[in-house]
Coordinates of all heavy atoms in Angstrom, one line a residue:
A738 N 32.6 -44.5 -34.2 CA 32.8 -45.8 -35.0 C 33.8 -45.4 -36.2 O 33.7 -44.3 -36.7 CB 31.5 -46.3 -35.7
P739 N 34.7 -46.3 -36.4 CA 35.7 -46.1 -37.5 C 35.0 -46.0 -38.9 O 34.0 -46.8 -39.1 CB 36.7 -47.2 -37.4 CG 36.0 -48.2 -36.7 CD 34.9 -47.6 -35.8
M740 N 35.4 -45.2 -39.8 CA 34.8 -45.1 -41.1 C 35.4 -46.3 -42.0 O 36.5 -46.6 -41.9 CB 35.1 -43.8 -41.8 CG 34.2 -42.7 -41.3 SD 34.3 -41.1 -42.1 CE 34.4 -41.5 -43.8
T741 N 34.5 -46.8 -42.8 CA 34.9 -47.8 -43.8 C 35.5 -47.1 -44.9 O 35.3 -45.9 -45.2 CB 33.6 -48.6 -44.3 OG1 32.8 -47.8 -44.9 CG2 33.0 -49.3 -43.0
P742 N 36.3 -47.8 -45.8 CA 36.8 -47.2 -47.0 C 35.8 -46.6 -47.9 O 35.9 -45.6 -48.6 CB 37.6 -48.4 -47.7 CG 37.9 -49.3 -46.5 CD 36.8 -49.2 -45.6
T743 N 34.6 -47.3 -48.0 CA 33.5 -46.9 -48.8 C 33.0 -45.5 -48.4 O 32.8 -44.6 -49.2 CB 32.4 -47.9 -48.8 OG1 32.9 -49.2 -49.2 CG2 31.2 -47.5 -49.7
L744 N 32.8 -45.3 -47.1 CA 32.3 -44.1 -46.6 C 33.5 -43.0 -46.6 O 33.1 -41.8 -46.7 CB 31.8 -44.2 -45.2 CG 30.5 -45.1 -45.1 CD1 30.0 -45.1 -43.7 CD2 29.4 -44.5 -45.9
T745 N 34.7 -43.4 -46.5 CA 35.8 -42.5 -46.7 C 35.8 -41.9 -48.0 O 35.9 -40.6 -48.2 CB 37.2 -43.1 -46.4 OG1 37.1 -43.6 -45.0 CG2 38.3 -42.2 -46.5
I746 N 35.6 -42.7 -49.1 CA 35.6 -42.3 -50.4 C 34.3 -41.4 -50.7 O 34.4 -40.3 -51.3 CB 35.6 -43.4 -51.4 CG1 36.9 -44.2 -51.3 CG2 35.4 -43.0 -52.9 CD1 36.9 -45.6 -52.0
A747 N 33.2 -41.8 -50.1 CA 32.0 -41.0 -50.2 C 32.2 -39.6 -49.6 O 31.7 -38.6 -50.2 CB 30.8 -41.8 -49.6
S748 N 32.8 -39.5 -48.5 CA 33.0 -38.2 -47.8 C 34.0 -37.4 -48.7 O 33.8 -36.2 -48.8 CB 33.5 -38.4 -46.4 OG 34.7 -39.0 -46.3
A749 N 35.0 -38.0 -49.2 CA 35.9 -37.2 -50.1 C 35.2 -36.7 -51.3 O 35.4 -35.6 -51.8 CB 37.1 -38.1 -50.5
L750 N 34.3 -37.5 -51.9 CA 33.5 -37.0 -53.0 C 32.6 -35.9 -52.6 O 32.4 -34.9 -53.4 CB 32.7 -38.2 -53.7 CG 33.5 -39.2 -54.4 CD1 32.6 -40.4 -54.8 CD2 34.1 -38.6 -55.7
S751 N 32.1 -35.9 -51.4 CA 31.2 -34.8 -50.9 C 32.1 -33.6 -50.8 O 31.7 -32.4 -51.1 CB 30.6 -35.2 -49.6 OG 29.5 -36.1 -49.8
G752 N 33.3 -33.7 -50.3 CA 34.2 -32.6 -50.2 C 34.5 -32.0 -51.5 O 34.6 -30.8 -51.7
L753 N 34.8 -32.9 -52.5 CA 35.1 -32.4 -53.9 C 33.9 -31.7 -54.5 O 34.0 -30.7 -55.2 CB 35.6 -33.5 -54.7 CG 37.0 -34.1 -54.4 CD1 37.2 -35.3 -55.2 CD2 38.0 -33.1 -54.7
S754 N 32.7 -32.2 -54.2 CA 31.5 -31.6 -54.7 C 31.3 -30.2 -54.1 O 30.9 -29.3 -54.8 CB 30.2 -32.5 -54.4 OG 30.3 -33.7 -55.1
I755 N 31.6 -30.0 -52.8 CA 31.6 -28.8 -52.2 C 32.5 -27.8 -52.9 O 32.2 -26.6 -53.1 CB 31.9 -28.8 -50.7 CG1 30.7 -29.6 -50.0 CG2 32.1 -27.5 -50.1 CD1 31.0 -30.0 -48.6
A756 N 33.7 -28.2 -53.2 CA 34.7 -27.4 -54.0 C 34.1 -26.9 -55.3 O 34.2 -25.8 -55.7 CB 36.0 -28.1 -54.1
L757 N 33.5 -27.9 -56.0 CA 32.9 -27.5 -57.4 C 31.7 -26.5 -57.2 O 31.6 -25.6 -58.0 CB 32.4 -28.8 -58.1 CG 33.6 -29.8 -58.5 CD1 32.9 -31.0 -59.2 CD2 34.5 -29.0 -59.5
L758 N 30.9 -26.8 -56.2 CA 29.8 -25.9 -55.9 C 30.3 -24.5 -55.5 O 29.7 -23.5 -55.9 CB 28.9 -26.5 -54.8 CG 28.1 -27.7 -55.2 CD1 27.6 -28.5 -54.1 CD2 26.9 -27.2 -56.1
A759 N 31.4 -24.4 -54.8 CA 32.0 -23.1 -54.5 C 32.3 -22.3 -55.8 O 32.1 -21.1 -56.0 CB 33.1 -23.3 -53.6
A760 N 32.9 -23.1 -56.7 CA 33.4 -22.4 -58.0 C 32.1 -22.0 -58.8 O 32.0 -20.9 -59.3 CB 34.1 -23.4 -58.9
L761 N 31.1 -22.9 -58.8 CA 29.8 -22.5 -59.5 C 29.2 -21.4 -58.8 O 28.6 -20.4 -59.5 CB 28.9 -23.7 -59.5 CG 29.3 -24.9 -60.5 CD1 28.4 -26.1 -60.2 CD2 29.2 -24.4 -61.9
L762 N 29.1 -21.4 -57.5 CA 28.5 -20.3 -56.8 C 29.2 -19.0 -57.1 O 28.4 -17.9 -57.2 CB 28.5 -20.6 -55.3 CG 27.8 -19.6 -54.3 CD1 26.4 -19.5 -54.7 CD2 28.0 -20.0 -52.9
T763 N 30.5 -18.9 -57.1 CA 31.2 -17.7 -57.5 C 30.8 -17.2 -58.8 O 30.4 -16.0 -58.9 CB 32.7 -18.0 -57.5 OG1 33.1 -18.4 -56.2 CG2 33.5 -16.7 -57.8
V764 N 30.7 -18.0 -59.8 CA 30.3 -17.6 -61.2 C 28.9 -17.1 -61.2 O 28.6 -16.0 -61.7 CB 30.6 -18.7 -62.2 CG1 30.0 -18.3 -63.6 CG2 32.1 -19.0 -62.3
W765 N 28.0 -17.9 -60.6 CA 26.6 -17.6 -60.7 C 26.3 -16.4 -59.9 O 25.4 -15.6 -60.3 CB 25.8 -18.8 -60.2 CG 25.8 -20.0 -61.1 CD1 26.1 -19.9 -62.5 CD2 25.5 -21.4 -60.9 NE1 26.1 -21.1 -63.0 CE2 25.7 -22.0 -62.1 CE3 25.2 -22.0 -59.7 CZ2 25.6 -23.4 -62.1 CZ3 25.0 -23.4 -59.8 CH2 25.1 -24.1 -61.0
W766 N 26.9 -16.2 -58.7 CA 26.7 -15.0 -58.0 C 27.1 -13.7 -58.7 O 26.5 -12.7 -58.8 CB 27.3 -15.0 -56.6 CG 27.1 -13.8 -55.8 CD1 28.1 -12.8 -55.4 CD2 25.9 -13.4 -55.2 NE1 27.4 -11.9 -54.7 CE2 26.1 -12.2 -54.5 CE3 24.6 -13.9 -55.2 CZ2 25.2 -11.4 -53.8 CZ3 23.7 -13.2 -54.5 CH2 23.9 -12.0 -53.8
R767 N 28.3 -13.8 -59.3 CA 28.8 -12.7 -60.2 C 27.8 -12.4 -61.3 O 27.5 -11.2 -61.5 CB 30.2 -13.1 -60.7 CG 30.9 -11.9 -61.4 CD 32.3 -12.2 -61.8 NE 33.0 -13.2 -61.0 CZ 33.7 -14.3 -61.4 NH1 33.7 -14.6 -62.7 NH2 34.2 -15.1 -60.6
N768 N 27.3 -13.4 -62.0 CA 26.3 -13.2 -63.0 C 25.0 -12.6 -62.5 O 24.5 -11.8 -63.1 CB 26.0 -14.5 -63.7 CG 27.2 -15.0 -64.6 OD1 28.1 -14.2 -64.9 ND2 27.1 -16.2 -65.0
Y769 N 24.6 -13.0 -61.3 CA 23.4 -12.5 -60.7 C 23.6 -11.0 -60.4 O 22.7 -10.2 -60.7 CB 22.9 -13.2 -59.5 CG 21.8 -12.6 -58.8 CD1 20.5 -12.6 -59.5 CD2 21.9 -11.9 -57.7 CE1 19.4 -12.0 -58.9 CE2 20.7 -11.3 -57.1 CZ 19.5 -11.4 -57.7 OH 18.4 -10.8 -57.2
R770 N 24.7 -10.7 -59.9 CA 25.0 -9.2 -59.6 C 25.0 -8.4 -60.8 O 24.6 -7.3 -60.8 CB 26.2 -9.1 -58.8 CG 26.1 -9.6 -57.4 CD 27.3 -9.4 -56.5 NE 27.6 -7.9 -56.6 CZ 28.6 -7.4 -56.0 NH1 29.4 -8.1 -55.2 NH2 28.9 -6.1 -56.1
Q771 N 25.5 -9.0 -61.9 CA 25.6 -8.2 -63.2 C 24.3 -8.1 -63.9 O 23.9 -7.1 -64.4 CB 26.7 -8.8 -64.1 CG 26.9 -8.1 -65.4 CD 28.0 -8.7 -66.2 OE1 28.7 -9.6 -65.8 NE2 28.3 -8.1 -67.4
F772 N 23.5 -9.3 -64.0 CA 22.3 -9.3 -64.8 C 21.1 -9.2 -64.0 O 20.0 -8.9 -64.5 CB 22.4 -10.6 -65.7 CG 23.5 -10.6 -66.6 CD1 24.5 -11.6 -66.4 CD2 23.7 -9.7 -67.6 CE1 25.6 -11.7 -67.2 CE2 24.9 -9.8 -68.4 CZ 25.8 -10.8 -68.2
G773 N 21.1 -9.8 -62.7 CA 19.9 -9.7 -61.9 C 18.7 -10.6 -62.3 O 17.6 -10.3 -61.9
T774 N 19.0 -11.6 -63.1 CA 17.9 -12.4 -63.6 C 17.5 -13.5 -62.6 O 18.3 -14.0 -61.8 CB 18.2 -13.2 -64.9 OG1 19.3 -14.0 -64.7 CG2 18.6 -12.2 -66.0
P775 N 16.2 -13.8 -62.6 CA 15.7 -14.9 -61.6 C 16.4 -16.3 -61.8 O 16.6 -17.0 -60.9 CB 14.2 -15.0 -61.9 CG 13.8 -13.7 -62.5 CD 15.0 -13.3 -63.3
L776 N 16.8 -16.6 -63.0 CA 17.4 -17.8 -63.3 C 18.8 -17.9 -62.6 O 19.1 -18.9 -62.0 CB 17.7 -18.0 -64.8 CG 18.4 -19.3 -65.2 CD1 17.7 -20.5 -64.8 CD2 18.7 -19.3 -66.7
T777 N 19.5 -16.9 -62.6 CA 20.8 -16.9 -62.0 C 20.7 -16.9 -60.5 O 21.4 -17.6 -59.7 CB 21.7 -15.7 -62.4 OG1 21.0 -14.5 -62.2 CG2 22.2 -15.8 -63.8
L778 N 19.7 -16.3 -60.0 CA 19.4 -16.4 -58.5 C 18.9 -17.8 -58.1 O 19.4 -18.3 -57.1 CB 18.3 -15.3 -58.1 CG 18.0 -15.3 -56.6 CD1 19.2 -14.9 -55.8 CD2 16.9 -14.3 -56.4
G779 N 18.2 -18.4 -59.0 CA 17.8 -19.8 -58.8 C 19.1 -20.7 -58.7 O 19.2 -21.6 -57.9
L780 N 20.0 -20.4 -59.7 CA 21.2 -21.2 -59.7 C 22.1 -21.1 -58.4 O 22.7 -22.0 -57.9 CB 22.1 -20.9 -60.9 CG 21.5 -21.3 -62.2 CD1 22.3 -20.8 -63.4 CD2 21.4 -22.9 -62.4
V781 N 22.1 -19.8 -57.9 CA 22.8 -19.5 -56.6 C 22.1 -20.3 -55.5 O 22.9 -20.9 -54.7 CB 22.8 -18.0 -56.3 CG1 23.2 -17.7 -54.9 CG2 23.7 -17.2 -57.3
A782 N 20.8 -20.2 -55.4 CA 20.1 -21.0 -54.4 C 20.4 -22.5 -54.5 O 20.5 -23.2 -53.5 CB 18.6 -20.7 -54.5
F783 N 20.4 -23.0 -55.7 CA 20.6 -24.5 -56.0 C 22.0 -24.8 -55.4 O 22.2 -25.8 -54.7 CB 20.6 -24.7 -57.5 CG 21.1 -26.0 -57.9 CD1 20.4 -27.2 -57.7 CD2 22.4 -26.2 -58.4 CE1 20.9 -28.5 -58.1 CE2 22.9 -27.4 -58.8 CZ 22.2 -28.5 -58.6
A784 N 23.0 -24.0 -55.7 CA 24.4 -24.3 -55.2 C 24.5 -24.2 -53.8 O 25.1 -25.1 -53.1 CB 25.4 -23.3 -55.9
L785 N 23.8 -23.2 -53.1 CA 23.8 -23.2 -51.7 C 23.2 -24.4 -51.0 O 23.7 -24.9 -50.0 CB 23.2 -21.8 -51.2 CG 24.0 -20.6 -51.5 CD1 23.1 -19.3 -51.2 CD2 25.2 -20.6 -50.6
V786 N 22.0 -24.7 -51.5 CA 21.3 -25.8 -50.9 C 22.1 -27.1 -51.1 O 22.2 -27.9 -50.1 CB 19.8 -26.0 -51.5 CG1 19.2 -27.3 -51.1 CG2 19.0 -24.7 -51.1
L787 N 22.6 -27.3 -52.3 CA 23.4 -28.6 -52.5 C 24.6 -28.6 -51.7 O 25.1 -29.7 -51.1 CB 23.6 -28.8 -53.9 CG 24.0 -30.2 -54.4 CD1 23.0 -31.2 -54.0 CD2 24.2 -30.2 -55.9
A788 N 25.3 -27.5 -51.5 CA 26.5 -27.4 -50.6 C 26.1 -27.7 -49.2 O 26.9 -28.5 -48.5 CB 27.1 -26.0 -50.8
V789 N 25.0 -27.2 -48.7 CA 24.6 -27.5 -47.3 C 24.3 -29.0 -47.1 O 24.7 -29.6 -46.2 CB 23.4 -26.7 -46.9 CG1 22.7 -27.1 -45.6 CG2 23.7 -25.2 -46.8
E790 N 23.7 -29.6 -48.1 CA 23.3 -31.0 -48.1 C 24.6 -31.8 -48.0 O 24.8 -32.8 -47.3 CB 22.5 -31.4 -49.4 CG 22.0 -32.7 -49.3 CD 23.1 -33.8 -49.9 OE1 23.9 -33.4 -50.7 OE2 23.0 -35.0 -49.5
N791 N 25.7 -31.4 -48.8 CA 26.9 -32.1 -48.7 C 27.7 -31.9 -47.4 O 28.3 -32.9 -46.9 CB 27.8 -31.7 -49.9 CG 27.5 -32.4 -51.2 OD1 27.9 -33.5 -51.4 ND2 26.7 -31.8 -52.0
V792 N 27.6 -30.8 -46.8 CA 28.2 -30.6 -45.5 C 27.5 -31.4 -44.4 O 28.1 -32.1 -43.6 CB 28.1 -29.1 -45.1 CG1 28.4 -28.9 -43.6 CG2 29.0 -28.2 -46.0
V793 N 26.2 -31.5 -44.5 CA 25.4 -32.4 -43.6 C 25.8 -33.8 -43.8 O 26.0 -34.6 -42.8 CB 23.9 -32.1 -43.8 CG1 23.1 -33.2 -43.0 CG2 23.5 -30.8 -43.3
A794 N 26.0 -34.2 -45.0 CA 26.3 -35.6 -45.3 C 27.7 -36.0 -44.8 O 27.9 -37.0 -44.1 CB 26.3 -35.9 -46.9
I795 N 28.6 -35.0 -44.9 CA 29.9 -35.3 -44.3 C 29.8 -35.4 -42.8 O 30.5 -36.3 -42.2 CB 30.9 -34.2 -44.7 CG1 31.3 -34.3 -46.2 CG2 32.2 -34.2 -43.9 CD1 32.1 -33.1 -46.7
G796 N 29.0 -34.6 -42.2 CA 28.7 -34.7 -40.7 C 28.2 -36.1 -40.4 O 28.7 -36.7 -39.4
F797 N 27.3 -36.6 -41.2 CA 26.8 -38.0 -40.9 C 27.9 -39.0 -41.1 O 28.0 -40.0 -40.4 CB 25.6 -38.3 -41.8 CG 24.3 -37.8 -41.1 CD1 23.7 -36.7 -41.6 CD2 23.7 -38.6 -40.1 CE1 22.4 -36.3 -41.0 CE2 22.5 -38.2 -39.5 CZ 21.9 -37.1 -40.0
F798 N 28.7 -38.8 -42.2 CA 29.8 -39.8 -42.4 C 30.7 -39.9 -41.2 O 31.2 -41.0 -40.9 CB 30.6 -39.4 -43.6 CG 29.8 -39.5 -44.9 CD1 30.1 -38.6 -46.0 CD2 28.8 -40.5 -45.1 CE1 29.4 -38.7 -47.1 CE2 28.2 -40.6 -46.3 CZ 28.5 -39.6 -47.3
F799 N 31.0 -38.8 -40.5 CA 31.9 -38.8 -39.4 C 31.3 -39.0 -38.0 O 31.9 -39.1 -37.1 CB 32.7 -37.5 -39.4 CG 33.8 -37.4 -40.5 CD1 33.6 -36.7 -41.6 CD2 35.0 -38.2 -40.4 CE1 34.6 -36.7 -42.6 CE2 35.9 -38.2 -41.3 CZ 35.7 -37.4 -42.5
S800 N 30.0 -39.0 -38.0 CA 29.3 -39.1 -36.7 C 29.2 -40.6 -36.3 O 29.3 -41.5 -37.1 CB 27.9 -38.5 -36.7 OG 27.0 -39.4 -37.4
S801 N 29.1 -40.9 -35.0 CA 28.9 -42.2 -34.6 C 27.5 -42.7 -34.8 O 27.3 -44.0 -34.7 CB 29.3 -42.3 -33.1 OG 28.4 -41.5 -32.3
G802 N 26.6 -41.9 -35.1 CA 25.2 -42.3 -35.4 C 24.8 -42.5 -36.8 O 23.7 -42.2 -37.2
M803 N 25.7 -42.9 -37.6 CA 25.5 -43.0 -39.1 C 24.3 -44.0 -39.3 O 24.2 -45.0 -38.7 CB 26.7 -43.5 -39.9 CG 27.8 -42.4 -40.0 SD 29.2 -43.1 -40.9 CE 30.0 -44.0 -39.7
L804 N 23.4 -43.6 -40.2 CA 22.2 -44.4 -40.5 C 22.6 -45.7 -41.2 O 21.9 -46.6 -41.1 CB 21.2 -43.6 -41.3 CG 20.7 -42.3 -40.7 CD1 19.9 -41.5 -41.7 CD2 19.9 -42.6 -39.5
Y805 N 23.6 -45.7 -41.9 CA 24.0 -46.8 -42.8 C 25.4 -47.4 -42.4 O 26.0 -48.1 -43.2 CB 24.0 -46.4 -44.3 CG 24.4 -45.0 -44.5 CD1 25.7 -44.5 -44.3 CD2 23.4 -44.1 -44.8 CE1 26.0 -43.2 -44.5 CE2 23.7 -42.7 -45.0 CZ 25.0 -42.3 -44.9 OH 25.3 -41.0 -45.1
A806 N 25.8 -47.2 -41.2 CA 27.2 -47.6 -40.8 C 27.3 -49.1 -40.8 O 28.4 -49.6 -41.1 CB 27.4 -47.1 -39.4
A807 N 26.3 -49.9 -40.6 CA 26.4 -51.3 -40.5 C 26.0 -52.1 -41.7 O 26.2 -53.3 -41.9 CB 25.7 -51.9 -39.3
D808 N 25.5 -51.4 -42.7 CA 24.9 -52.0 -43.9 C 25.8 -51.7 -45.1 O 25.8 -50.6 -45.7 CB 23.5 -51.6 -44.2 CG 22.9 -52.4 -45.3 OD1 23.4 -53.3 -45.8 OD2 21.7 -52.0 -45.6
S809 N 26.5 -52.7 -45.6 CA 27.5 -52.5 -46.7 C 26.8 -52.2 -48.0 O 27.2 -51.4 -48.8 CB 28.4 -53.7 -47.0 OG 27.6 -54.8 -47.3
T810 N 25.5 -52.6 -48.2 CA 24.8 -52.4 -49.4 C 24.3 -50.9 -49.4 O 24.4 -50.1 -50.4 CB 23.5 -53.2 -49.5 OG1 23.8 -54.6 -49.4 CG2 22.7 -52.9 -50.7
A811 N 23.9 -50.4 -48.2 CA 23.6 -49.0 -48.0 C 24.8 -48.1 -48.3 O 24.7 -47.0 -49.0 CB 23.0 -48.7 -46.7
Q812 N 26.0 -48.5 -47.8 CA 27.2 -47.8 -48.0 C 27.6 -47.7 -49.5 O 28.0 -46.6 -49.9 CB 28.3 -48.4 -47.2 CG 28.2 -48.2 -45.8 CD 29.3 -48.9 -45.0 OE1 30.3 -49.4 -45.6 NE2 29.2 -49.0 -43.7
L813 N 27.4 -48.8 -50.2 CA 27.7 -48.8 -51.6 C 26.7 -47.9 -52.4 O 27.1 -47.2 -53.4 CB 27.6 -50.2 -52.3 CG 28.9 -51.1 -51.8 CD1 28.6 -52.5 -52.4 CD2 30.1 -50.5 -52.4
A814 N 25.4 -47.9 -52.0 CA 24.5 -47.0 -52.6 C 24.8 -45.5 -52.4 O 24.7 -44.7 -53.3 CB 23.1 -47.3 -52.1
V815 N 25.2 -45.2 -51.1 CA 25.6 -43.8 -50.8 C 26.8 -43.4 -51.7 O 26.8 -42.3 -52.2 CB 25.9 -43.7 -49.3 CG1 26.7 -42.4 -49.0 CG2 24.7 -43.8 -48.5
L816 N 27.8 -44.3 -51.8 CA 29.0 -44.0 -52.6 C 28.6 -43.8 -54.1 O 29.1 -42.8 -54.7 CB 30.0 -45.2 -52.5 CG 31.2 -45.0 -53.3 CD1 32.0 -43.7 -53.1 CD2 32.1 -46.2 -53.2
A817 N 27.7 -44.6 -54.6 CA 27.3 -44.5 -56.0 C 26.6 -43.2 -56.2 O 26.8 -42.5 -57.2 CB 26.4 -45.6 -56.4
M818 N 25.7 -42.8 -55.2 CA 25.0 -41.5 -55.4 C 25.9 -40.3 -55.3 O 25.8 -39.3 -56.0 CB 23.9 -41.3 -54.3 CG 22.8 -42.4 -54.4 SD 21.9 -42.2 -56.0 CE 22.5 -43.5 -57.0
R819 N 26.9 -40.4 -54.4 CA 27.9 -39.3 -54.3 C 28.8 -39.2 -55.5 O 29.1 -38.1 -56.0 CB 28.8 -39.5 -53.0 CG 28.1 -39.4 -51.7 CD 27.7 -37.9 -51.4 NE 26.6 -37.9 -50.5 CZ 25.8 -36.9 -50.3 NH1 26.0 -35.7 -50.9 NH2 24.9 -37.0 -49.5
A820 N 29.1 -40.4 -56.1 CA 29.9 -40.4 -57.3 C 29.1 -39.8 -58.5 O 29.6 -39.0 -59.3 CB 30.3 -41.8 -57.7
L821 N 27.8 -40.2 -58.6 CA 27.0 -39.6 -59.7 C 26.8 -38.1 -59.5 O 26.9 -37.3 -60.5 CB 25.6 -40.3 -59.7 CG 25.6 -41.7 -60.2 CD1 24.3 -42.3 -60.0 CD2 26.0 -41.7 -61.7
Q822 N 26.6 -37.6 -58.3 CA 26.5 -36.2 -58.0 C 27.8 -35.5 -58.4 O 27.8 -34.4 -59.1 CB 26.2 -36.0 -56.6 CG 26.2 -34.5 -56.2 CD 25.9 -34.3 -54.7 OE1 24.8 -34.4 -54.3 NE2 27.0 -34.0 -54.0
F823 N 28.9 -36.1 -58.1 CA 30.2 -35.4 -58.4 C 30.4 -35.3 -59.9 O 30.8 -34.3 -60.4 CB 31.4 -36.2 -57.7 CG 32.7 -35.6 -58.1 CD1 33.2 -34.5 -57.6 CD2 33.5 -36.4 -59.1 CE1 34.4 -33.9 -58.0 CE2 34.7 -35.8 -59.5 CZ 35.2 -34.6 -59.0
V824 N 30.1 -36.4 -60.6 CA 30.2 -36.4 -62.1 C 29.3 -35.3 -62.7 O 29.7 -34.5 -63.6 CB 29.9 -37.8 -62.7 CG1 29.8 -37.7 -64.2 CG2 31.0 -38.7 -62.3
A825 N 28.1 -35.2 -62.2 CA 27.1 -34.2 -62.7 C 27.6 -32.8 -62.5 O 27.6 -32.0 -63.3 CB 25.7 -34.4 -62.1
L826 N 28.2 -32.6 -61.2 CA 28.7 -31.3 -60.9 C 30.0 -30.9 -61.7 O 30.3 -29.8 -62.0 CB 29.0 -31.2 -59.4 CG 27.7 -31.0 -58.5 CD1 28.1 -31.2 -57.1 CD2 27.0 -29.7 -58.8
A827 N 30.8 -32.0 -62.0 CA 32.0 -31.8 -62.8 C 31.6 -31.3 -64.2 O 32.2 -30.3 -64.8 CB 32.8 -33.0 -62.8
F828 N 30.6 -32.0 -64.8 CA 30.2 -31.5 -66.1 C 29.5 -30.1 -66.1 O 29.9 -29.3 -66.9 CB 29.0 -32.5 -66.7 CG 29.6 -33.8 -67.3 CD1 29.3 -35.0 -66.8 CD2 30.5 -33.7 -68.3 CE1 29.7 -36.2 -67.3 CE2 31.0 -34.8 -68.9 CZ 30.6 -36.1 -68.4
L829 N 28.8 -29.8 -65.1 CA 28.1 -28.5 -64.9 C 29.2 -27.4 -64.7 O 29.2 -26.3 -65.3 CB 27.2 -28.5 -63.8 CG 26.3 -27.3 -63.6 CD1 25.5 -26.9 -64.8 CD2 25.4 -27.5 -62.4
T830 N 30.2 -27.8 -63.9 CA 31.3 -26.8 -63.7 C 32.1 -26.6 -65.0 O 32.5 -25.4 -65.3 CB 32.3 -27.3 -62.6 OG1 31.5 -27.5 -61.4 CG2 33.3 -26.3 -62.3
Y831 N 32.4 -27.6 -65.7 CA 33.1 -27.6 -67.0 C 32.4 -26.6 -67.9 O 33.0 -25.6 -68.4 CB 33.4 -28.9 -67.6 CG 34.0 -28.9 -68.9 CD1 35.3 -28.6 -69.1 CD2 33.2 -29.0 -70.1 CE1 36.0 -28.5 -70.3 CE2 33.8 -29.0 -71.3 CZ 35.2 -28.7 -71.4 OH 35.7 -28.6 -72.6
V832 N 31.1 -26.8 -68.2 CA 30.4 -26.0 -69.1 C 30.2 -24.6 -68.6 O 30.1 -23.7 -69.4 CB 29.1 -26.7 -69.6 CG1 29.3 -28.0 -70.2 CG2 28.1 -26.8 -68.5
T833 N 30.0 -24.4 -67.3 CA 29.8 -23.1 -66.8 C 31.1 -22.2 -66.9 O 31.1 -21.0 -67.3 CB 29.5 -23.1 -65.3 OG1 28.2 -23.8 -65.2 CG2 29.3 -21.8 -64.7

Side-chain angles (χ1 to χ4, degrees):
M740 279 187 42
T741 65
T743 305
L744 292 179
T745 301
I746 296 168
S748 64
L750 287 171
S751 286
L753 291 171
S754 291
I755 291 168
L757 292 177
L758 286 162
L761 289 169
L762 183 60
T763 300
V764 171
W765 292 338
W766 180 251
R767 191 177 323 131
N768 288 346
Y769 177 69
R770 288 185 53 178
Q771 183 174 357
F772 303 112
T774 63
L776 176 63
T777 54
L778 183 59
L780 292 170
V781 167
F783 168 79
L785 286 172
V786 169
L787 199 54
V789 168
E790 186 273 334
N791 276 280
V792 168
V793 170
I795 290 173
F797 272 105
F798 293 147
F799 285 104
S800 75
S801 59
M803 288 182 278
L804 300 173
Y805 30 72
D808 187 6
S809 62
T810 303
Q812 290 178 9
L813 287 174
V815 167
L816 176 59
M818 293 298 103
R819 293 290 157 195
L821 287 172
Q822 177 183 279
F823 175 74
V824 169
L826 287 171
F828 280 122
L829 187 57
T830 304
Y831 175 75
V832 299
T833 298

